[in-house]
């Protein structure tokens, strides 16, 4: 299935909003917090990754409009940067939640291997996918091929979401009620945005 139509439905406003929020949040963090705790560092890293993802997405979708043999490599690069940054922002979120529950060292090691290992695996798949004709790739006729419903990102997004949901359920008594509700709200809104994209054939959020 060639889903260039999904890419053509992209509008830049979503990424511009994400980029503006990154600058606002980064400015607030710099002026408000002076003690650099681990969770604060994770939050800063995640916000920077979102900023990188937004810039990469804008560049990637712009390159689609000017696709040529000389720009295919750049298209692959910025697409990989976009989705890898998003996945690693999610890895930061998973790590943040793990730090809250303070699981035993045994389970923490298993959790770290599963989360960071999947993050590395995603980056590898995104890097080699175009060259082995898996996921997203451009053929010799400069036609873009990508099945929207079998894209690597969606599988890994689902994996990390399920991981967090399981963690929330197993350690639900360790969370402060407001923190628990906040995390659940973030997950719910993210899921709704993904559903909206699928329903309206969008790649803008």
């Amino acid at each position: 299935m060639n889903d260039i139509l999904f890419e053509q439905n992209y509008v830049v406003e979503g990424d511009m909003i994400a980029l503006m929020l990154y600058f606002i949040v980064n400015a607030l963090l710099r002026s408000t917090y002076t003690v650099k705790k681990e969770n604060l560092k994770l939050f800063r890293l995640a916000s920077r990754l979102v900023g990188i993802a937004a810039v990469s997405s804008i560049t990637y979708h712009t390159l689609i409009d000017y696709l040529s043999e000389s720009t295919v490599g750049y298209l692959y690069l910025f697409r990989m940067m976009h989705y890898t940054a998003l996945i690693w922002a999610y890895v930061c979120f998973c790590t943040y939640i793990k730090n809250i529950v303070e699981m035993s060292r045994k389970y923490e090691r298993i959790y770290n291997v599963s989360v960071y290992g999947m993050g590395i695996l995603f980056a590898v798949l995104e890097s080699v996918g175009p060259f082995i004709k898996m996921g997203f790739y451009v053929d010799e006729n400069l036609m873009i091929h990508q099945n929207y419903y079998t894209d690597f990102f969606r599988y890994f997004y689902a994996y990390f979401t399920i991981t967090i949901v399981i963690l929330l359920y197993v350690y639900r008594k360790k969370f402060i009620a407001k923190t628990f509700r906040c995390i659940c709200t973030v997950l719910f809104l993210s899921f709704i945005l993904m559903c909206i994209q699928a329903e309206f054939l969008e790649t803008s959020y």
Side-chain angles (χ1 to χ4, degrees), residues 7-200:
E7 306 297 347
Q8 288 175 337
N9 285 340
Y10 168 81
V11 290
V12 73
E13 284 79 4
D15 284 323
M16 291 301 296
I17 291 171
L19 200 55
M20 287 188 291
L21 287 174
Y22 157 71
F23 285 117
I24 293 170
V25 169
N26 194 54
L28 288 172
L29 288 175
R30 284 180 176 277
S31 60
T32 306
Y33 295 95
T34 55
V35 179
K36 297 182 178 180
K37 294 184 178 179
E38 184 179 356
N39 281 345
L40 179 58
K41 291 179 181 178
L42 280 171
F43 189 76
R44 281 180 171 170
L45 176 58
S47 69
R48 287 168 185 165
L49 287 168
V50 170
I52 292 170
V55 172
S56 301
S57 178
I58 293 170
T59 307
Y60 154 62
H61 285 95
T62 301
L63 286 170
I64 287 177
D65 295 330
Y66 300 95
L67 188 60
S68 66
E69 290 184 3
S70 62
T71 61
V72 169
Y74 294 108
L75 181 71
Y76 289 155
L77 174 64
F78 283 104
R79 185 182 188 280
M80 182 198 71
M81 288 174 59
H82 168 58
Y83 283 111
T84 302
L86 287 178
I87 283 296
W88 276 91
Y90 216 172
V91 169
C92 290
F93 188 43
C94 291
T95 305
Y96 167 76
I97 296 173
K98 178 208 70 176
N99 291 344
I100 292 176
V101 300
E102 297 180 345
M103 60 179 65
S104 66
R105 298 183 71 88
K106 175 186 174 181
Y107 290 115
E108 183 178 4
R109 282 195 295 269
I110 296 173
Y111 184 84
N112 286 340
V113 169
S114 65
V115 169
Y116 290 107
M118 291 299 279
I120 293 170
L121 178 60
F122 176 81
V124 171
L125 288 175
E126 276 294 313
S127 300
V128 303
F131 304 103
I132 59 176
K133 302 295 188 283
M134 284 184 63
F136 177 93
Y137 69 95
V138 180
D139 65 21
E140 59 276 7
N141 298 315
L142 297 180
M143 292 293 293
I144 293 179
H145 298 269
Q146 177 194 20
N147 190 315
Y148 186 87
Y149 298 101
T150 58
D151 187 40
F152 293 136
F153 178 79
R154 287 159 187 84
Y155 286 111
F156 281 80
Y157 171 84
Y159 172 82
F160 287 118
T161 300
I162 292 169
T163 299
I164 291 175
V165 170
I166 292 173
L167 201 66
L168 289 172
Y169 177 77
V170 173
Y171 294 96
R172 59 191 181 279
K173 293 182 180 179
K174 288 192 174 185
F175 286 93
I176 298 172
K178 287 184 178 179
T179 303
F180 186 84
R181 286 196 296 269
C182 181
I183 294 171
C184 289
T185 301
V186 169
L187 289 176
F188 177 73
L189 291 176
S190 299
F191 178 73
I192 291 297
L193 284 175
M194 292 290 285
C195 290
I196 290 173
Q197 285 195 125
E199 177 66 24
F200 294 98

